[in-house]
Amino acid sequence: MSDTVKKSPDAVPQQSDMSGPKRPGLVLALLAACALMIVLDSTVVYVALPKIQQSLEMGGTGLVWVVNAYALAFGGLMLLGGRAGDIVGQRRVLLVGLVIFGVASLICGLATSPEMLIAARAAQGVGAALVAPTSLSLIPINFTNDAARTKAIGVYTGIAAAGGTFGLIIGGVLSDAASWRWVFFINVPVVALVVLLAPTAIRESQPQRGSFDFVGAVTSTGAMVALVYALVRTSTAGWDDPVVLACLAAAAVLFTVLLLVERRARQPLLPLRLFTDRVRASGFVTLLFFPAAFAGMFFFLTQYFQVVWSYSALRTGFAFIPAAVLVLVAAILTGQLVPKLGSTVVAGIGALLTAGAMIWLTQISADGGYATSLLGPLVLGGFGAGLIYASVTTSIMSNVTPDVTGAASSVLQAVQQIGPALGLAVLVTAAGTPADPVDGMRRAFWVAALIAALPAVLALLGRPSRTN
């Protein structure tokens, strides 16, 4: 029997196909649009930074905060956003987050000073922290049939995983053809459309009555902000930077306090029973470490294309299209593979494929060609990543009760947010500063290969025992 039908105390009760949404295509399109929009805004701004700097006369530090303000607010409030949906209703919190995100996007596009833009980017992060976990948690609530839910999660995660690459392309096109301001304006009509259609198309979750865990909210937010900031700063300041060390220490203390508080809370922000299931726990660990390796591939190949081969930012974005397309294709195929092979087997295959891609990339050289040296690992890595993201997300979100769906979604996306920052901190350290940058990239890809192979081990350890 496949591991995807394993039951636990947290398993979602099975319902008939008739309990699904009346317009499943529309529901999935709306939720996937939310995922794509949130991911795009994590990367779309990168290509626009030079023109933003020129237009607003912004210094280098300000440019860094255009990126970091979004990342800190997004990562810091992620746990709070998901749990808020459990308590007051996932759809309700989603709509509130969309309004915040849309208004903040409009202000970003209208910004007349660096301070105005940075503040609006932070507000965008707040909205994203509400939208990201609730949009994912609404999938098992609206798609209760196993096959339909697995397919929906595959499409959702595929679009989300591929969105970062498409963000680079869209950012370049909008910045060159119109203005950097349209990088943000484009969110407004999407938000308006989803807010208009969601109340009637998307089924609401059952709110959980009770007191709100304010202590958990404060400690989790503080811990996440401290950890995300430390990891973001590490890539430029190093591990021995006093600010980095202080933030890591603060994060460790706050996470310890959070665990102690949540053990006694009546309605905890972070239900600890989420981590008692072996499959789910191994899934969380996989989604922490795997993005660390996959993000490293994008980071170093971006440097390779632009520094070694002198690609423009827009051409670099197009170079990643094969990986982005294969992520989406594999994620959609996962809906057919998981019922036959089981989610852990599919994740293990994806891990091995991606680790192979990283090993392939250790052979790069300055005089290589795109088709002969890089197309293969991009295709292999993209396909493997799609298998992992979709199968692990399915195994986590199909194995929780409705009252903690938002909490599970927020933990899942929180570890995905931390993973790339952690990976870049480790891989940049591994690369060092050699005279030949390609030598450093090779070292980084060896480390990335080891990290990418970890989910294959976790797949074996996390696979549940067979039952009759």
Side-chain angles (χ1 to χ4, degrees):
M1 184 178 73
S2 170
D3 56 83
T4 55
V5 297
K6 175 228 181 193
K7 303 300 179 187
S8 74
D10 291 331
V12 179
Q14 296 300 304
Q15 301 179 36
S16 66
D17 295 359
M18 297 301 291
S19 62
K22 295 181 179 179
R23 293 176 290 177
L26 176 60
V27 172
L28 183 56
L30 294 175
L31 297 177
C34 293
L36 179 61
M37 185 170 52
I38 297 305
V39 174
L40 282 178
D41 268 68
S42 296
T43 60
V44 72
V45 72
Y46 284 113
V47 181
L49 286 177
K51 293 190 175 182
I52 292 175
Q53 183 177 31
Q54 182 180 12
S55 176
L56 298 182
E57 299 180 351
M58 184 178 290
T61 302
L63 285 179
V64 171
W65 277 104
V66 171
V67 176
N68 288 351
Y70 181 84
L72 287 174
F74 186 16
L77 296 172
M78 185 79 73
L79 295 177
L80 180 61
R83 192 55 172 154
D86 285 333
I87 295 174
V88 303
Q90 302 289 354
R91 190 183 66 193
R92 185 176 292 111
V93 173
L94 173 70
L95 294 175
V96 171
L98 283 170
V99 171
I100 294 173
F101 188 86
V103 172
S105 296
L106 180 62
I107 296 174
C108 283
L110 297 173
T112 56
S113 68
E115 295 78 14
M116 183 177 177
L117 177 59
I118 292 170
R121 282 287 285 170
Q124 268 192 316
V126 174
L130 300 179
V131 172
T134 51
S135 60
L136 175 58
S137 63
L138 281 166
I139 290 181
I141 291 169
N142 283 265
F143 297 86
T144 55
N145 172 263
D146 280 342
R149 181 173 60 245
T150 300
K151 180 180 178 180
I153 289 177
V155 173
Y156 179 97
T157 55
I159 289 175
T165 299
F166 291 125
L168 297 175
I169 298 170
I170 293 172
V173 171
L174 290 176
S175 297
D176 290 342
S179 165
W180 65 265
R181 298 180 184 277
W182 280 98
V183 167
F184 303 108
F185 285 150
I186 196 173
N187 292 325
V188 178
V190 178
V191 167
L193 184 63
V194 177
V195 170
L196 177 65
L197 297 177
T200 55
I202 300 175
R203 177 190 299 152
E204 176 63 290
S205 63
Q206 181 65 42
Q208 306 300 312
R209 304 301 178 187
S211 58
F212 190 74
D213 181 14
F214 287 103
V215 177
V218 172
T219 52
S220 66
T221 301
M224 287 292 293
V225 168
L227 179 58
V228 172
Y229 180 71
L231 294 175
V232 168
R233 184 179 174 88
T234 297
S235 61
T236 55
W239 288 97
D240 58 350
D241 177 66
V243 176
V244 169
L245 295 175
C247 288
L248 289 175
V253 171
L254 288 171
F255 274 123
T256 301
V257 173
L258 176 63
L259 292 177
L260 295 175
V261 169
E262 299 305 87
R263 292 177 61 183
R264 299 182 178 181
R266 291 184 177 180
Q267 197 166 30
L269 186 79
L270 182 64
L272 299 184
R273 62 190 173 98
L274 288 175
F275 306 97
T276 58
D277 179 81
R278 187 174 60 182
V279 174
R280 194 162 54 235
S282 65
F284 287 139
V285 176
T286 294
L287 291 181
L288 173 64
F289 285 100
F290 179 77
F294 196 59
M297 183 181 78
F298 277 80
F299 177 81
F300 285 106
L301 286 185
T302 297
Q303 305 302 311
Y304 182 82
F305 286 137
Q306 295 187 352
V307 175
V308 180
W309 284 0
S310 300
Y311 276 18
S312 66
L314 183 57
R315 188 180 180 187
T316 297
F318 277 107
F320 284 115
I321 283 182
V325 171
L326 267 296
V327 167
L328 180 57
V329 170
I332 294 174
L333 287 177
T334 299
Q336 300 175 8
L337 295 175
V338 166
K340 298 177 181 179
L341 302 177
S343 59
T344 52
V345 172
V346 175
I349 294 172
L352 293 176
L353 290 176
T354 309
M358 299 300 172
I359 294 174
W360 194 339
L361 287 171
T362 63
Q363 306 303 308
I364 62 171
S365 61
D367 57 356
Y370 179 82
T372 57
S373 301
L374 296 178
L375 182 59
L378 284 171
V379 168
L380 197 64
F383 194 81
L387 294 179
I388 288 182
Y389 284 130
S391 61
V392 174
T393 301
T394 298
S395 69
I396 291 174
M397 297 306 297
S398 298
N399 197 29
V400 290
T401 51
D403 62 307
V404 291
T405 301
S409 175
S410 63
V411 173
L412 182 156
Q413 298 200 46
V415 295
Q416 283 186 295
Q417 180 81 0
I418 295 171
L422 175 63
L424 290 182
V426 172
L427 296 177
V428 168
T429 301
T433 55
D436 182 0
V438 178
D439 286 339
M441 293 177 191
R442 294 192 194 102
R443 288 198 297 269
F445 284 128
W446 276 117
V447 177
L450 293 174
I451 298 174
L454 179 62
V457 178
L458 291 174
L460 295 175
L461 297 177
R463 190 172 187 180
S465 58
R466 294 181 178 273
T467 58
N468 296 324

